[in-house]
Amino acid sequence: MKVIVLGGYGAVGSQAVAYLREMAAHVLAAGRDPKRADLLIDAGHPHGLDRVLKDVDVVLNCAGTEDAALADQVTRHGAAFVDITASVEYTSAVERLKPSAPILLSVGLAPGLTNLLAAAVQQEAPAQPIDIALLLGAGERYGKASTTWAYQLLGQDFADPATGERIRNYSRPRRFHLPVYGVRRLLRVDYSDQHVLHRDLGVPVRTYFGLTSRLATAALAALTRLPAAAHAAPSWHLPGDQRWLALARSADGRTHTLGGRVQAHATAAIAAIAAVKAARLPRGVHHLHHVLDLSDLAALPIRLHPWYPPTPEPNH
């Protein structure tokens, strides 16, 4: 299998390249830096891919570029396209395509792993609303694209997928009982998983976010009230650990939780599995929970830890 990884030397892309090579794929790390790239490509100019897509099975986008034309261009050449980004607008734009090859979205932790956790919860509690929680390590150094995206959400509103109510990012705190971390108040965030899952599962789904540092989470809640906060420099680095945790729970407290260390490694591992799966999918736009379930994660090149709360906690 031949794979091109856009952004193949970044925080996630470099790990995805390594994992795919362990799976015996022929992988080229692509990007604009001639010192680090196996293949010089600017993901911001999709037509530049024409010369390299012959005999390519999958293009995995880890570059942070959100352009539906890129997905369209790749699939026109018969290659599958896999993307790890989380923007609602971008996801919607790609879903409107009529691709000639498979496209796989919702790949990573959130969306991605959170989709699988929510789907597992719905199998146990089919008609109940689902809350998703993502806790990321405050001490991890995230890639520029993901950090910039997180800051740009500050002060921005979004429509609740179930009610249409306008909600400000990093507001509406909700209490979660998290393994290892105890009781935490996490903040509502506009990840694309809640929109796709509300549509696909037919129940209200809400996504909440926090950092392992309580102070850093509180700072996000404060900054989102400031009009200029979205333009804050994304180079800040906070003290803290590199653990992460993803959780989905139904209204009656049925919960599935997985966690680990270093979010970039987990995202890359899921992306590598998704790339292998995408090469065998029918043409069209798919999401991770359409094609994988939690049992498939046993094939990941890293181990995820099944952390469970000691007792179910009702979702009030």
Side-chain angles (χ1 to χ4, degrees), residues 108-174:
L109 291 189
L113 179 60
T114 54
N115 295 55
L116 302 186
L117 293 169
V121 165
Q122 201 217 25
Q123 289 185 345
E124 300 173 4
Q128 296 193 26
I130 297 171
D131 281 349
I132 290 170
L134 179 68
L135 191 73
L136 295 184
E140 184 169 343
R141 291 189 179 275
Y142 298 98
K144 181 180 179 182
S146 60
T147 306
T148 300
W149 181 80
Y151 275 94
Q152 287 176 343
L153 293 178
L154 288 166
Q156 302 300 310
D157 293 347
F158 67 96
D160 182 280
T163 66
E165 180 186 5
R166 301 301 300 181
I167 296 172
R168 177 158 292 192
N169 283 296
Y170 305 117
S171 70
R172 306 289 183 93
R174 184 173 287 272

Side-chain angles (χ1 to χ4, degrees), residues 57-126:
D57 297 294
V58 181
V59 173
L60 171 59
N61 183 21
C62 298
T65 299
E66 294 190 337
D67 184 357
L70 175 61
D72 187 53
Q73 186 70 11
V74 168
T75 56
R76 284 178 184 274
H77 287 266
F81 184 78
V82 180
D83 205 311
I84 68 169
T85 54
S87 162
V88 176
E89 294 77 11
Y90 172 65
T91 299
S92 298
V94 173
E95 286 185 324
R96 291 192 291 270
L97 297 175
K98 298 187 183 300
S100 305
I103 294 176
L104 185 52
L105 303 176
S106 301
V107 174
L109 291 189
L113 179 60
T114 54
N115 295 55
L116 302 186
L117 293 169
V121 165
Q122 201 217 25
Q123 289 185 345
E124 300 173 4

Side-chain angles (χ1 to χ4, degrees), residues 177-180 182 255 257 307-313:
H177 188 288
L178 302 177
V180 179
T255 303
T257 312
W307 295 334
Y308 297 99
T311 57
E313 183 182 13

Side-chain angles (χ1 to χ4, degrees), residues 231-243:
H231 304 291
S235 58
W236 300 348
H237 181 65
L238 300 167
D241 62 28
Q242 294 184 314
R243 293 187 294 183

Side-chain angles (χ1 to χ4, degrees), residues 195-253:
H195 298 270
V196 172
L197 289 167
H198 168 64
R199 179 194 66 203
D200 290 356
L201 304 184
V203 298
V205 180
R206 296 166 293 200
T207 302
Y208 293 83
F209 172 81
L211 293 165
T212 52
S213 163
R214 293 178 187 270
L215 180 61
T217 304
L220 289 173
L223 285 170
T224 201
R225 300 189 183 97
L226 302 177
H231 304 291
S235 58
W236 300 348
H237 181 65
L238 300 167
D241 62 28
Q242 294 184 314
R243 293 187 294 183
W244 60 267
L245 184 145
L247 173 150
R249 73 179 183 191
S250 63
D252 67 355

Side-chain angles (χ1 to χ4, degrees), residues 209-301:
F209 172 81
L211 293 165
T212 52
S213 163
R214 293 178 187 270
L215 180 61
T217 304
L220 289 173
L223 285 170
T224 201
R225 300 189 183 97
L226 302 177
H231 304 291
S235 58
W236 300 348
H237 181 65
L238 300 167
D241 62 28
Q242 294 184 314
R243 293 187 294 183
W244 60 267
L245 184 145
L247 173 150
R249 73 179 183 191
S250 63
D252 67 355
R254 300 179 199 226
T255 303
H256 281 272
T257 312
L258 285 168
R261 293 184 181 274
V262 189
Q263 173 263 343
H265 292 180
T267 299
I270 293 170
I273 290 290
V276 173
K277 183 70 173 182
R280 303 181 180 95
L281 294 176
R283 67 182 181 182
V285 180
H286 311 268
H287 290 272
L288 197 65
H289 59 282
H290 298 160
V291 301
L292 297 178
D293 59 33
L294 289 180
S295 66
D296 293 304
L297 301 184
L300 287 177

